Amino acid sequence: MHNFTPLSGLLGGALIGLATALLMVLTGRIAGISGIFGGLLSLKASDRGWRLAFVAGLLAAPLLAALGGASLPMPAMPANLAVVAIGGLLVGVGTRMSGGCTSGHGVCGTARLSTRSITATAIFMVVAIGTACGLFLFRDFS
């Protein structure tokens, strides 16, 4: 772990907790990114303002961090865009099947001690660990 930065992790986690708590207190809504973004795609415009502000904040945060001097490494992307599209489709299907995304279940649902969210988060973690280990085992180190 050469990029271990406990202070930035602590501050980032505190900001995520504050944002989710404020959203719950002010709107009664859970900060699940898939649900917030999905609500933007519906024709109902009554709650579009806070959804747009939330998504704009997600996009603005790394840009502001970069302007502030933070180094933002580029993620490694597969050369084949079909792999990216299929991966995105699978994530979307999984999100719909589990009734929410990792942020909604992992951050908000577990904090509310929701059995469904704790189960979903455990499944997310097991699959993520299995995927990471599988990729590590089958990686070409030559």
Side-chain angles (χ1 to χ4, degrees):
M1 275 199 288
H2 57 20
N3 290 331
F4 181 63
T5 54
L7 183 58
S8 64
L10 179 66
L11 291 174
L15 287 173
I16 290 170
L18 178 63
T20 57
L22 283 173
L23 187 64
M24 178 63 89
V25 168
L26 297 175
T27 67
R29 305 300 300 252
I30 293 174
I33 307 306
S34 62
I36 291 171
F37 186 75
L40 282 175
L41 302 177
S42 73
L43 299 176
K44 187 174 100 176
S46 65
D47 60 355
R48 191 166 297 213
W50 72 265
R51 291 176 188 272
L52 280 171
F54 195 96
V55 173
L58 291 176
L59 298 173
L63 298 175
L64 291 173
L67 288 174
S71 65
L72 303 174
M74 290 297 294
M77 294 292 288
N80 187 344
L81 290 180
V83 171
V84 175
I86 292 168
L89 181 65
L90 289 173
V91 167
V93 169
T95 298
R96 294 300 282 171
M97 286 176 63
S98 69
C101 60
T102 53
S103 59
H105 284 301
V107 175
C108 300
T110 56
R112 294 181 305 120
L113 301 177
S114 164
T115 305
R116 187 178 111 200
S117 290
I118 292 169
T119 303
T121 303
I123 292 169
F124 296 153
M125 295 305 294
V126 167
V127 171
I129 291 167
T131 301
C133 290
L135 290 176
F136 181 76
L137 291 174
F138 296 110
R139 188 170 176 182
D140 182 17
F141 291 105
S142 56

